[in-house]
Amino acid sequence: MSLRHADVVVFGSTKPDDVPVSWIKPGATIISCARDLLSVQCLYFSEKHNYGQQNNPAAEKTVGSLAVAMRMQNMVKNMERWIQSQQYRKWDLHCLKLQPLSPVPSDIEISRAQSPKAVDVLAKEIGLLTDEIEIYGQTKAKVRLSLLERLKDQPDGKYVLVAGITPTPLGEGKSTVTVGLVQALTAHLNINSFACLRQPSQGPTFGVKGGAAGGGYAQVIPMEEFNLHLTGDIHAITAANNLLAAAIDARILHENTQSDKSLYNRLVPVVNGMRGFSAIQLARLRRLGINKTDPETLTEEEISKFVRLDIDPSTITWQRVVDTNDRFLRKVTVGQANTEKGFVRQAQFDIAVASEIMAILALTTSLQDMKERLGKMVVANDKKGEPVTAEDLGVTGALAVLMKDAIKPTLMQTLEGTPVFVHAGPFANIAHGNSSVLADKIALKLVGEKGFVVTEAGFGADIGMEKFFNIKCRASGLVPSVVVLVATVRALKMHGGGPNVTAGAPLKKEYTEENLQLVADGCCNLQKQIQITQLFGVPVVVALNVFKTDSPAEVDLVCKMAKESGAFDAVPCNHWSAGGRGAVKLAQAVEKAANQKNSFKYLYSLELPIVEKIRIIAQKVYGAQDIELSPTAQSQVDRYTQQGFGNLPICMAKTHLSLSHQPERKGVPTGFILPISDVRASIGAGFIYPLVGTMSTMPGLPTRPCFYDIDLDPITEQVKGLF
Amino acid sequence: MSLRHADVVVFGSTKPDDVPVSWIKPGATIISCARDLLSVQCLYFSEKHNYGQQNNPAAEKTVGSLAVAMRMQNMVKNMERWIQSQQYRKWDLHCLKLQPLSPVPSDIEISRAQSPKAVDVLAKEIGLLTDEIEIYGQTKAKVRLSLLERLKDQPDGKYVLVAGITPTPLGEGKSTVTVGLVQALTAHLNINSFACLRQPSQGPTFGVKGGAAGGGYAQVIPMEEFNLHLTGDIHAITAANNLLAAAIDARILHENTQSDKSLYNRLVPVVNGMRGFSAIQLARLRRLGINKTDPETLTEEEISKFVRLDIDPSTITWQRVVDTNDRFLRKVTVGQANTEKGFVRQAQFDIAVASEIMAILALTTSLQDMKERLGKMVVANDKKGEPVTAEDLGVTGALAVLMKDAIKPTLMQTLEGTPVFVHAGPFANIAHGNSSVLADKIALKLVGEKGFVVTEAGFGADIGMEKFFNIKCRASGLVPSVVVLVATVRALKMHGGGPNVTAGAPLKKEYTEENLQLVADGCCNLQKQIQITQLFGVPVVVALNVFKTDSPAEVDLVCKMAKESGAFDAVPCNHWSAGGRGAVKLAQAVEKAANQKNSFKYLYSLELPIVEKIRIIAQKVYGAQDIELSPTAQSQVDRYTQQGFGNLPICMAKTHLSLSHQPERKGVPTGFILPISDVRASIGAGFIYPLVGTMSTMPGLPTRPCFYDIDLDPITEQVKGLF
C-alpha cells in the first residue's frame, strides 16, 4: 500500500466535498474512502503533516489512544480495500442511445440531435475526482496532471494507434474509425476505452475542410465546440508564439540603437536604489560562464557579453502565427513604420498549429518538462553561428505562464457518451502529427489494465505512424499494443490506377461502380503499409471504412488480400452510418490482437548520424533507392551536428499523397532518389525536420470558403452550416 | 404575474437539478418554486406544451381533475410569492475576510493569499440559476443572456460611473476605486453591488503595464486569471477580426485572377447536380436589387454585379490584429509570396482590443444585435466609392459563430468575495473605452432596485465619461445615477505646475512632500472635470485616492475645493491599503448621491452635422476655442455624410494626458484650436471617430519587458512576477 503521495486522506461517511477547505493543503490529493467506518465521523490523516488536529480541536478531544490504534488498523484494512477498488474495473458508464437515420444527416445535425451528458457526470463515471477536473461550460473539462501522480502505480491499459494507407485528398476517415472503435468497445462490448484526438486548427474550419470531430454516427459532440475555440489551447499557443516573435525583433532593435551601458541600465535597472538580476538573467550569466550575482561587479566586457544576444537577422527561424487561413501572410515585410528606424526584414506567418510550441505541447510529459523545452527552443543564430534560445531572450517563464492551462487535456464525449481527450494538433509534415503524450498517459491510467486507449496519427502510416513510433513513443516511453490501419476501396482503386480524385469535384464512375481489378492492383499500397507496421514489431488490424458504393465482392477482396499480406485481421466497418454497432467486429479483432506477442522496436538508433537516420527512413519506410541532400541541407546537417543536436530523432516533412516525394506517384513507387532540399530543427520539441520539397505552412481561403454557409441562430444560439 | 416566457416551471420540494433532463425542453427556463407544496412531489407545467405527461405516466395517474384545480390555485399563489421573492432582496452573500498587512504586499501576493469562493457558489448567492451560468474552471463563469429575459420586468439598480481627472502617466486608480467601492458597499454596508470592469489586453501584461485587476486590497481575484486568457473573449475577437481580414485580401486576389463566369461557378457551384445560393448570397442579391433566387436565371450583367465586390485596395480600413505588443507589425507589406501573384499591399496590425469587433462587443445588446452590427462593419470602399461590408463578403454568420461565447459576460469576484463582471475592453481613443452594455444590464437586474452597479470609463472624464454618456448610454438606454470622479494629490500637483511624472523614473520631491500651493493650483483640473460632469445633469462624488505621502492638509484641501466646485461630496479613500473598509465613506456618499434628483441628458443631438457635433465636444468639454479640420478630415466627413452615416455619435481619438490635444498642457488649457487630422468610422460599432493627432494602435516591448520577472512554479503551478 502506498500513501507516499497523499497529503490528505479522508475517511468515514463523508465525501471529499464535505471536508472544510481550510483543512486541505493546496495541491493535496483527497481520497474518499469506504463508508462503513461508522464510528468515525470524519477522521483525516496525512503522512507528512496532521493538518486536521490544528483546526479541529473537537475531533482531537474525542480520539483516545486505544481508539486511535483501532482506527489505524481499520484504516489500513480500508486503505487496502480502497486500493484494490482502484484497480481495473468496468466503468459504470451511462451510454447514450443512438438511433441512426437513413440517409445519414449532416454531421452538425447528428451532433445537435444528441444531448451530451454533463461533463462532470462523465468525469465521475470514469473515476476522476472532483478536484482533478476544471469544467469549461457544460460539455468540456480540463483534466489536471495531478492524476498521473495519484495513479502512478497502476498498470496502463492497451495502447492502440490508428493510422492509414496513403490517402486520397478526401482522407480515409481515421478520426471516424478512432471514434467508432471506442464507441464499439465501450458502448457495445462494455470495455473501458478512451479516444485521444488532435484538436483541429480553426483556420480550415472556415476555409475548405470543415469539421474534424469524426463524422456521421462516429463523432465527438458537441462538434461545434470541438471545432471552434475548444478550451483555448491553440489561442494560448498563438499568444506564446507571438510574444517570443515580438521579443526577437524588439531585442534586435534595442541592441541596434543603444550602447552597452544604456542596454545594461535598462536590462538591470536601479529600483528603489538597488540593482538586481532577475532569476532568468542569473541563469544567462551562468551559461556565459560569468559567476557573479552583483550587477555592480561586472566588467565592461562581461556587460557587453551579457547585454548583446547579437542575433543575425538572416538566420531567424521563428515565425509569427495566426489561426486563420491567411495566404497574404505567407511572405511579408515587417518593421516598416518610422518608429522601427529602418530595421525592416522579410518574414512569414504560419498557421498556429505549425508553431513549435504546438509540437512541444504534444510531446511534453509534465509542466517542468514543458518549461525546459520552451526555454530550449532555438529561434536564430548569433553572428558567431551559435544558437539563440527563448531562454536567452528571458521569456521562458512568460511562455510557461501562457501555456499553463493548455497543458491539461480536454475531456469531451462521443455520440454514445464514451470519453474522449482532445489535446494538441501539431502539423503532420514539419512536426509529428500526433495528439498529446499527456492525454494518452492519463487515458491509459483511467481505462485500467484491461481497457483500451485509441490514439490517432496524421497522414498515412509511412509518415504519421513512423513518427508516432520513432518520436512520440520515444518521448513517452509507451509501448503500443496494436496498429489499426484504415483503408477505403476508393483509395485502393486510386492506387490501382484509377483516375485522379480531387476535393470538390464529383467522383469518376470507377469509384462508384464495382471494379475488382482496380482494387486488386491498388492493394499493393495497403500491403506496403502493413509491411511498414511490421518493421516496428506491432500487430496490425486493417479497418476497411465501407462506403455505400462499395460492392460486397470489393470488400471481401480487400480483407482477403490484407490478411494474406500479414495483417492479424481485416474487418469492414460501418460506424459512419451505424455508430459503434458498426465497428463491433473491428473492436473484437483489436481486442484479440492486443493479446498477441508484441516485439515493439524503434527503427533507428538516435546515435546514428543525421544523414544515416534520414536514409533508413527513406529506404525502409518509403522504399527509396537512396537520398540526395542539397548543399543547403548538407550545411544545415553539419551545423546542427556541430551545435550538438545530432542525436535527435528525425521528423520527415514529405507529402502524404505518395510514399515517394512525388504526390502523383500512387501505389508503391520504387527506384526513386528522395531529394532533401533543406534541414531544419525544432530543438524544444526535440527533432530535426528534413524538407522533402517545399511545405506550405499557411493554407489559403478558396473563392467560396465554408463560411458562406456558416451561421448562428440568434434565438436558439445554434450553429448552422458546419460539417 | 408573467409566465409567458417560461416553457417549464417546476414546483414542489424539488430543486431544478432533480428534474429529469428528458422533461425539459431545450432552452427552457426552469424555476424552482416554494418548498411548501407538500402534496406535490414534482409537478411541472408549461404554457405551450405539457412535456411531463408524455414522459411520466405515473404522475399523470395520480392527478385527478379536482386535485389539478387545487394545485393550480396553489400554483398561482406560489408563483406570486415567488415573483415577490425575486424583487430586491439583500443577497445572502458569504463575504471573504480580509486582514490587510502593512506594508502592503505585491498584488499577486495579496491575490494568492486569498482563497476565492467557488464561482458556482457565488453565482447562487447572487440569484443566478444553475442553467444561467457556464463554469470555466473554479473561479470564472460565463453568464447567459437568457437572464435578461427572465428578469426583464424587474426594476434596475442604481448605476454608478467611475471616471477620473486628467491623469498622470501612472494613472489615478479608477479600477481600484471601482473595486474598493463595491467591496465597501457589499461587504461592509450589506448593500447588493456589482463591479463591471474591462478585460485588459494581454499584450501590455508582458510589456510594461502589468495587471489591471485593481490593486492592493481592492482587486479582482485570482488576478492572474483576470490578466491572462480569462474566458477567451479577446482570442475570439482576434479570430473573427483576422478571418475578415483574410477574406478581404483573398477576395481581391480571386476577383483579379478570375473571369466573371469562373467566379460565379465557384461562388455558386453545382453540388449533386444542383446550383443554389446560400442565405447570405440571397441577401446580397436583394441589396443589389436582383430579385431572383434561381442561379440559372441571372443575366451576364447581374452575374458580374453579384460576383465582383470591386474593392479599391487603397481604401481598406480593416486591419489584422494580434494580442501582443509587437511594434514590428505597425507597418508591414503583405502578399509577397509568389502564390499571391504580385498583389502586394501595405497594411498594419493593431493590438486586438483596437478591433472594431471589440467595440461592438462592448456596445451590443443581444446576439441578434451583435450579428447585425458585425454584418454592417465597413471594411473598404469599392471603386465607385460605395462602402463594402462584412456582409458583402459573406462572413457575417461565421463572425457571429466565433463570437457566440464572447458575448456572455464573465463572472469573477473581489478580494472580499463580492461579484464582478469582466467583459469587453475597447480602446479609449479610437473606440469608447467602456466595459460592456450587457454586463451592466445583467448586473443592474441582479443587484435589484436598491442595489448598485459600478462601472468604469477609461482615461479622464473628458474622454471616457463623455463617451460613456453620449455613446454607451445611447446604445443601452440606461440612465446613470452618480459619477464618481477619481483624483490623486499627485495628479493635482502636476496640474498645479509640478515637474513631469514619467513611468519608471523615481518621483520628484514635490510629489512626496507636502505642497499645498501646487495642490490648490492643480484643483482647476478637478473643477473643470466636475463641470463637465454637470453638463450631463448627473451628481458627482469626488473620490480622492490617498497615498501614504499625502498630508492630511493636502487631503482636506482637495475635498474642500471639490465641494466648492459643485461636487455632491468629496471623500478620501484607503481601499488600496485597507480593502472595502477604506472606502466605506465613499460608499455612503455614493448611496446618498444616488437619491438626488437626476436630470441626465446627452450633450448633442445625433441629427446635427458631424462637424457640429465635433465642435460641441471640443468647446463644451475640452474648452477649445474652435476646431480645424484638415482637407482629408473634411473629405472623409463629406464621404460619410453622403454614405448615410452622418447621424452617428462621435468618438474622439484624443490624448488623455491633457484636456487639449497637447499632452504637455496640464491644468485647464484655454484658447486652443483643436486640429482634426482625419476622420474614420466604425459603422458596426456605430460611431464616427475623428483623429486629433496620430493614435498608436500597437504598443511595443521595452528593452526590459515585464516578462523577465514572470515565471511559473512547475510544482505548485503558481504564477510569479505579475503585478
Side-chain angles (χ1 to χ4, degrees):
Chain A
M1 116 170 210
S2 155
L3 258 174
R4 201 145 320 133
H5 46 280
D7 275 341
V8 178
V9 185
V10 179
F11 284 89
S13 63
T14 179
K15 292 173 294 172
D17 300 343
D18 294 337
V19 183
V21 172
S22 61
W23 294 3
I24 303 169
K25 189 188 171 195
T29 306
I30 305 168
I31 304 166
S32 178
C33 199
R35 284 162 178 262
D36 54 357
L37 269 172
L38 289 174
S39 62
V40 186
Q41 242 296 314
C42 179
L43 178 65
Y44 43 88
F45 170 86
S46 157
E47 224 188 357
K48 291 191 197 144
H49 310 278
N50 197 335
Y51 292 97
Q53 293 198 357
Q54 296 154 17
N55 295 288
N56 191 6
E60 198 179 18
K61 250 181 277 169
T62 62
V63 181
S65 62
L66 182 64
V68 167
M70 282 178 59
R71 281 169 194 173
M72 287 297 284
Q73 215 168 17
N74 263 346
M75 195 167 76
V76 172
K77 212 172 99 195
N78 281 285
M79 273 309 293
E80 281 168 353
R81 197 182 305 166
W82 181 82
I83 285 172
Q84 278 161 14
S85 79
Q86 294 301 299
Q87 304 301 325
Y88 175 78
R89 60 179 174 86
K90 284 195 173 133
W91 295 330
D92 187 16
L93 199 78
H94 163 68
C95 292
L96 305 175
K97 291 277 164 286
L98 269 192
Q99 293 181 308
L101 300 177
S102 178
V104 175
S106 76
D107 289 355
I108 184 89
E109 285 170 307
I110 292 174
S111 171
R112 203 187 298 147
Q114 187 75 306
S115 293
K117 286 183 278 195
V119 71
D120 53 336
V121 171
L122 174 65
K124 266 190 197 155
E125 288 176 342
I126 60 171
L128 284 159
L129 305 182
T130 310
D131 65 346
E132 286 172 345
I133 59 167
E134 295 169 5
I135 290 175
Y136 280 62
Q138 307 300 315
T139 54
K140 300 171 289 185
K142 284 207 164 275
V143 174
R144 300 190 59 180
L145 308 188
S146 60
L147 178 144
L148 284 174
E149 183 60 25
R150 172 169 70 90
L151 298 183
K152 71 175 174 188
D153 296 328
Q154 279 197 47
D156 286 345
K158 312 285 185 186
Y159 194 27
V160 179
L161 177 75
V162 175
I165 63 166
T166 303
T168 74
L170 308 178
E172 302 310 288
K174 291 194 302 292
S175 305
T176 314
V177 168
T178 304
V179 176
L181 177 53
V182 294
Q183 288 181 194
L185 281 165
T186 301
H188 298 269
L189 299 179
N190 201 19
I191 298 170
N192 292 358
S193 77
F194 231 111
C196 291
L197 295 177
R198 292 169 292 164
Q199 183 188 356
S201 167
Q202 203 167 252
T205 305
F206 295 96
V208 282
K209 193 166 172 283
Y217 286 100
Q219 276 192 69
V220 181
I221 57 170
M223 73 87 95
E224 64 272 32
E225 298 293 322
F226 180 95
N227 284 307
L228 298 173
H229 311 288
L230 199 68
T231 47
D233 296 351
I234 295 180
H235 295 321
I237 289 167
T238 303
N241 184 97
N242 290 349
L243 178 60
L244 179 52
I248 296 167
D249 279 313
R251 181 66 177 242
I252 293 173
L253 175 71
H254 290 132
E255 286 188 27
N256 278 338
T257 53
Q258 291 176 44
S259 67
D260 286 0
K261 197 180 152 201
S262 159
L263 280 169
Y264 195 59
N265 283 340
R266 287 199 167 92
L267 285 168
V268 196
V270 178
V271 179
N272 298 330
M274 294 274 295
R275 216 197 248 277
F277 291 117
S278 70
I280 204 163
Q281 291 178 328
L282 287 169
R284 174 164 162 79
L285 285 170
R286 283 193 296 277
R287 281 199 305 285
L288 294 172
I290 304 171
N291 290 313
K292 296 181 177 174
T293 55
D294 179 359
E296 305 298 347
T297 60
L298 264 64
T299 65
E300 272 188 25
E301 199 194 325
E302 286 168 341
I303 286 176
S304 180
K305 251 168 107 175
F306 173 74
V307 299
R308 297 208 173 267
L309 299 182
D310 242 350
I311 292 169
D312 176 354
S314 72
T315 66
I316 296 174
T317 48
W318 195 260
Q319 308 298 352
R320 291 167 175 85
V321 300
V322 286
D323 196 20
T324 309
N325 284 15
D326 193 347
R327 52 190 297 164
F328 273 69
L329 299 181
R330 283 172 183 159
K331 196 183 273 187
V332 300
T333 299
V334 300
Q336 293 180 310
N338 292 335
T339 48
E340 279 55 71
K341 298 167 186 168
F343 294 108
V344 301
R345 68 178 185 89
Q346 209 158 61
Q348 73 187 55
F349 282 70
D350 296 334
I351 188 110
V353 292
S355 170
E356 182 176 349
I357 298 178
M358 176 57 100
I360 289 178
L361 180 67
L363 287 169
T364 191
T365 52
S366 70
L367 211 45
Q368 175 65 37
D369 173 73
M370 181 174 75
K371 206 172 126 179
E372 283 165 17
R373 287 172 181 267
L374 291 169
K376 282 196 288 192
M377 294 186 301
V378 173
V379 300
N381 291 327
D382 65 18
K383 286 172 187 156
K384 291 185 197 125
E386 295 299 313
V388 177
T389 64
E391 178 78 7
D392 289 321
L393 285 152
V395 75
T396 311
L399 300 184
V401 165
L402 282 167
M403 292 291 294
K404 77 180 172 58
D405 295 312
I407 198 174
K408 302 167 197 159
T410 298
L411 177 66
M412 292 187 76
Q413 65 195 282
T414 65
L415 270 174
E416 300 191 47
T418 74
V420 175
F421 274 140
V422 189
H423 202 216
F427 255 37
N429 45 36
I430 63 160
H432 64 294
N434 280 259
S435 69
S436 87
V437 164
L438 278 167
D440 290 358
K441 284 198 158 192
I442 293 174
L444 284 164
K445 294 297 181 197
L446 286 170
V447 297
E449 193 168 9
K450 291 179 190 159
F452 283 78
V453 170
V454 184
T455 191
E456 181 202 2
F459 286 4
D462 54 315
I463 303 180
M465 182 185 72
E466 182 271 309
K467 295 177 183 181
F468 172 80
F469 288 136
N470 284 319
I471 299 176
K472 185 175 173 184
C473 288
R474 258 193 245 257
S476 69
L478 296 171
V479 173
S481 316
V482 181
V483 168
V484 172
L485 194 64
V486 181
T488 57
V489 165
R490 178 173 70 196
L492 292 172
K493 284 177 172 174
M494 175 190 75
H495 289 299
N500 273 348
V501 176
T502 315
L507 280 173
K508 298 269 160 52
K509 74 172 185 349
E510 285 82 350
Y511 295 102
T512 52
E513 296 170 2
E514 182 175 284
N515 190 326
L516 292 168
Q517 190 58 49
L518 281 181
V519 174
D521 291 349
C523 274
C524 59
N525 185 276
L526 176 60
Q527 187 176 28
K528 169 72 179 165
Q529 300 279 17
I530 291 170
Q531 285 163 3
I532 295 171
T533 314
Q534 289 170 332
L535 288 175
F536 296 89
V538 181
V540 52
V541 173
V542 171
L544 183 67
N545 222 349
V546 177
F547 289 30
K548 64 173 182 229
T549 48
D550 299 346
S551 77
E554 287 174 334
V555 169
D556 289 347
L557 178 61
V558 176
C559 293
K560 178 171 151 280
M561 292 188 76
K563 282 184 265 191
E564 283 170 6
S565 308
F568 173 81
D569 204 347
V571 190
C573 314
N574 296 290
H575 43 266
W576 185 79
S577 55
R581 200 157 40 83
V584 165
K585 285 204 179 118
L586 173 66
Q588 286 163 334
V590 167
E591 199 195 2
K592 254 191 225 157
N595 293 318
Q596 291 298 296
K597 207 170 75 64
N598 184 319
S599 50
F600 174 61
K601 55 182 180 293
Y602 303 126
L603 187 66
Y604 53 79
S605 153
L606 291 182
E607 279 67 45
L608 293 174
I610 291 174
V611 172
E612 207 40 54
K613 289 184 275 198
I614 300 174
R615 183 173 288 118
I616 288 173
I617 296 171
Q619 292 179 331
K620 294 208 178 161
V621 178
Y622 307 155
Q625 193 180 318
D626 202 351
I627 59 172
E628 186 170 53
L629 271 70
S630 72
T632 315
Q634 187 59 57
S635 83
Q636 287 291 89
V637 167
D638 296 343
R639 181 190 294 274
Y640 291 133
T641 307
Q642 174 260 318
Q643 289 179 342
F645 304 135
N647 285 348
L648 292 173
I650 303 299
C651 184
M652 300 296 288
K654 180 185 79 73
T655 178
H656 59 301
L657 296 173
S658 167
L659 281 158
S660 76
H661 56 288
Q662 292 157 305
E664 65 285 1
R665 294 188 66 181
K666 304 299 181 187
V668 182
T670 51
F672 59 93
I673 308 285
L674 196 78
I676 310 295
S677 56
D678 200 353
V679 176
R680 298 191 191 149
S682 289
I683 302 301
F687 52 71
I688 302 285
Y689 63 98
L691 297 184
V692 185
T694 50
M695 291 294 134
S696 170
T697 48
M698 175 56 89
L701 289 174
T703 306
R704 187 188 190 288
C706 301
F707 62 61
Y708 272 89
D709 301 307
I710 297 176
D711 203 358
L712 184 72
D713 184 318
I715 306 301
T716 62
E717 299 183 25
Q718 280 182 338
V719 175
K720 299 187 282 190
L722 269 184
F723 62 93
Chain B
M1 108 167 219
S2 154
L3 258 173
R4 202 145 321 133
H5 45 281
D7 275 339
V8 178
V9 186
V10 178
F11 283 89
S13 62
T14 181
K15 292 173 294 172
D17 301 342
D18 295 337
V19 183
V21 173
S22 61
W23 293 3
I24 303 169
K25 187 188 173 197
T29 306
I30 305 168
I31 304 166
S32 177
C33 198
R35 282 161 180 265
D36 55 357
L37 269 170
L38 290 174
S39 64
V40 185
Q41 242 297 314
C42 180
L43 178 65
Y44 42 91
F45 169 85
S46 158
E47 223 189 357
K48 292 192 199 142
H49 309 279
N50 198 336
Y51 291 97
Q53 295 200 356
Q54 297 154 17
N55 296 286
N56 191 5
E60 198 179 17
K61 251 182 276 168
T62 63
V63 182
S65 64
L66 181 64
V68 167
M70 283 178 59
R71 282 168 192 173
M72 286 299 284
Q73 213 169 19
N74 264 345
M75 193 168 78
V76 171
K77 210 172 99 197
N78 281 285
M79 273 309 293
E80 280 167 354
R81 195 182 305 167
W82 180 82
I83 284 171
Q84 277 161 15
S85 79
Q86 294 300 301
Q87 303 302 325
Y88 175 75
R89 60 179 173 89
K90 283 195 174 134
W91 293 332
D92 187 15
L93 199 77
H94 164 67
C95 291
L96 305 175
K97 290 277 164 286
L98 268 193
Q99 292 181 308
L101 301 176
S102 177
V104 176
S106 75
D107 289 354
I108 183 90
E109 285 169 310
I110 292 174
S111 170
R112 205 187 295 148
Q114 188 74 305
S115 292
K117 286 183 280 195
V119 72
D120 53 337
V121 171
L122 173 66
K124 265 188 198 158
E125 288 176 344
I126 61 173
L128 284 159
L129 305 182
T130 310
D131 65 346
E132 286 172 346
I133 60 167
E134 295 170 5
I135 291 175
Y136 280 63
Q138 307 299 314
T139 55
K140 299 171 289 183
K142 284 203 163 278
V143 174
R144 300 188 62 180
L145 308 188
S146 59
L147 179 144
L148 283 174
E149 183 60 25
R150 173 170 67 92
L151 299 183
K152 71 174 174 188
D153 296 328
Q154 278 198 48
D156 285 345
K158 311 283 184 187
Y159 194 28
V160 179
L161 176 75
V162 176
I165 64 166
T166 304
T168 74
L170 308 178
E172 303 310 287
K174 290 193 303 291
S175 305
T176 315
V177 168
T178 304
V179 177
L181 177 53
V182 294
Q183 288 181 194
L185 282 165
T186 301
H188 298 270
L189 299 179
N190 200 19
I191 297 170
N192 292 359
S193 78
F194 230 110
C196 292
L197 296 177
R198 292 169 292 165
Q199 182 189 357
S201 167
Q202 203 168 252
T205 306
F206 295 95
V208 282
K209 193 166 172 282
Y217 286 99
Q219 275 192 70
V220 182
I221 57 171
M223 72 87 96
E224 66 272 31
E225 298 293 322
F226 180 95
N227 284 307
L228 297 173
H229 311 286
L230 198 70
T231 47
D233 296 351
I234 296 181
H235 295 321
I237 288 167
T238 304
N241 183 97
N242 290 348
L243 177 61
L244 179 52
I248 297 167
D249 278 314
R251 182 64 179 243
I252 294 173
L253 175 72
H254 291 132
E255 287 189 25
N256 278 338
T257 53
Q258 291 175 42
S259 67
D260 286 1
K261 196 180 155 202
S262 158
L263 280 169
Y264 194 61
N265 284 339
R266 287 198 166 94
L267 284 168
V268 196
V270 179
V271 178
N272 298 332
M274 293 276 292
R275 218 195 246 279
F277 291 115
S278 71
I280 203 163
Q281 290 177 329
L282 287 170
R284 177 166 160 76
L285 285 171
R286 283 193 296 275
R287 281 199 305 286
L288 294 172
I290 305 171
N291 290 313
K292 296 182 178 174
T293 55
D294 178 358
E296 305 298 348
T297 59
L298 265 63
T299 65
E300 270 187 28
E301 199 193 325
E302 286 168 340
I303 286 177
S304 181
K305 251 170 109 174
F306 173 74
V307 299
R308 297 209 172 266
L309 300 182
D310 241 352
I311 292 170
D312 175 354
S314 72
T315 64
I316 295 175
T317 49
W318 195 260
Q319 308 298 351
R320 291 166 175 88
V321 300
V322 286
D323 196 20
T324 309
N325 284 14
D326 194 347
R327 53 189 295 164
F328 274 68
L329 299 182
R330 283 172 184 160
K331 197 184 272 187
V332 299
T333 299
V334 300
Q336 294 180 309
N338 291 336
T339 48
E340 279 56 71
K341 300 169 185 165
F343 294 108
V344 301
R345 68 178 186 91
Q346 209 158 59
Q348 72 187 53
F349 281 71
D350 296 334
I351 189 109
V353 292
S355 170
E356 181 176 349
I357 297 178
M358 175 59 99
I360 288 177
L361 181 66
L363 288 170
T364 191
T365 51
S366 70
L367 209 46
Q368 175 66 36
D369 173 72
M370 181 174 75
K371 205 171 126 178
E372 283 165 16
R373 287 171 181 268
L374 291 170
K376 281 196 290 192
M377 295 187 302
V378 172
V379 301
N381 291 328
D382 65 19
K383 287 173 186 155
K384 290 186 199 129
E386 294 300 313
V388 177
T389 63
E391 177 78 8
D392 289 321
L393 285 151
V395 75
T396 311
L399 301 183
V401 165
L402 283 167
M403 292 292 293
K404 78 182 172 60
D405 295 313
I407 198 173
K408 302 167 198 161
T410 298
L411 177 68
M412 292 187 75
Q413 65 195 282
T414 67
L415 270 173
E416 301 192 46
T418 73
V420 175
F421 273 139
V422 190
H423 201 215
F427 255 36
N429 45 36
I430 62 159
H432 65 293
N434 281 259
S435 68
S436 86
V437 164
L438 279 168
D440 291 358
K441 285 200 157 191
I442 293 175
L444 284 164
K445 293 298 180 196
L446 286 171
V447 296
E449 193 168 10
K450 291 179 189 159
F452 284 78
V453 171
V454 185
T455 191
E456 182 202 1
F459 286 5
D462 54 315
I463 303 180
M465 182 185 72
E466 181 271 308
K467 294 177 183 179
F468 172 80
F469 289 135
N470 284 320
I471 299 176
K472 186 176 172 184
C473 288
R474 259 194 244 257
S476 69
L478 296 172
V479 173
S481 316
V482 182
V483 168
V484 172
L485 194 64
V486 181
T488 59
V489 166
R490 181 173 68 198
L492 293 172
K493 284 177 171 174
M494 176 190 75
H495 289 299
N500 273 347
V501 176
T502 316
L507 280 173
K508 297 270 159 51
K509 74 171 184 352
E510 285 83 350
Y511 295 102
T512 54
E513 296 170 2
E514 182 175 284
N515 190 325
L516 292 168
Q517 190 58 52
L518 281 181
V519 174
D521 291 349
C523 274
C524 60
N525 185 274
L526 176 60
Q527 189 176 26
K528 169 72 178 165
Q529 300 279 17
I530 291 170
Q531 286 162 2
I532 296 171
T533 313
Q534 290 171 330
L535 288 176
F536 296 90
V538 181
V540 54
V541 173
V542 171
L544 183 67
N545 221 348
V546 177
F547 289 30
K548 62 173 185 232
T549 49
D550 299 347
S551 77
E554 288 174 333
V555 170
D556 290 347
L557 179 61
V558 176
C559 292
K560 180 171 149 282
M561 293 188 74
K563 282 184 264 192
E564 285 170 6
S565 308
F568 174 80
D569 203 347
V571 191
C573 314
N574 295 290
H575 43 266
W576 185 77
S577 55
R581 201 156 39 82
V584 165
K585 285 204 180 117
L586 174 66
Q588 287 163 334
V590 168
E591 201 196 0
K592 253 191 229 160
N595 294 319
Q596 290 297 297
K597 208 173 72 72
N598 185 318
S599 50
F600 173 61
K601 56 180 178 292
Y602 304 126
L603 188 65
Y604 54 80
S605 153
L606 292 182
E607 279 66 46
L608 292 174
I610 291 174
V611 172
E612 208 40 54
K613 290 183 274 198
I614 300 174
R615 183 174 288 118
I616 289 174
I617 295 171
Q619 293 178 333
K620 294 209 180 163
V621 178
Y622 307 156
Q625 194 181 314
D626 203 353
I627 60 173
E628 187 172 52
L629 272 72
S630 73
T632 314
Q634 187 58 58
S635 82
Q636 287 292 91
V637 167
D638 297 342
R639 181 189 293 275
Y640 291 134
T641 307
Q642 175 259 319
Q643 290 180 340
F645 304 135
N647 284 351
L648 292 173
I650 303 298
C651 184
M652 299 295 289
K654 180 184 79 74
T655 177
H656 58 303
L657 297 171
S658 168
L659 281 158
S660 78
H661 56 287
Q662 292 157 306
E664 65 285 1
R665 294 188 67 180
K666 305 300 181 187
V668 182
T670 51
F672 58 94
I673 308 284
L674 195 79
I676 310 295
S677 56
D678 200 353
V679 176
R680 299 193 190 147
S682 288
I683 301 301
F687 51 72
I688 301 285
Y689 63 100
L691 297 184
V692 185
T694 51
M695 292 293 135
S696 169
T697 46
M698 175 55 89
L701 289 173
T703 307
R704 188 188 189 288
C706 302
F707 62 60
Y708 272 89
D709 301 307
I710 296 175
D711 203 0
L712 184 72
D713 184 317
I715 306 301
T716 63
E717 300 184 23
Q718 279 182 340
V719 175
K720 298 188 285 192
L722 269 185
F723 62 95

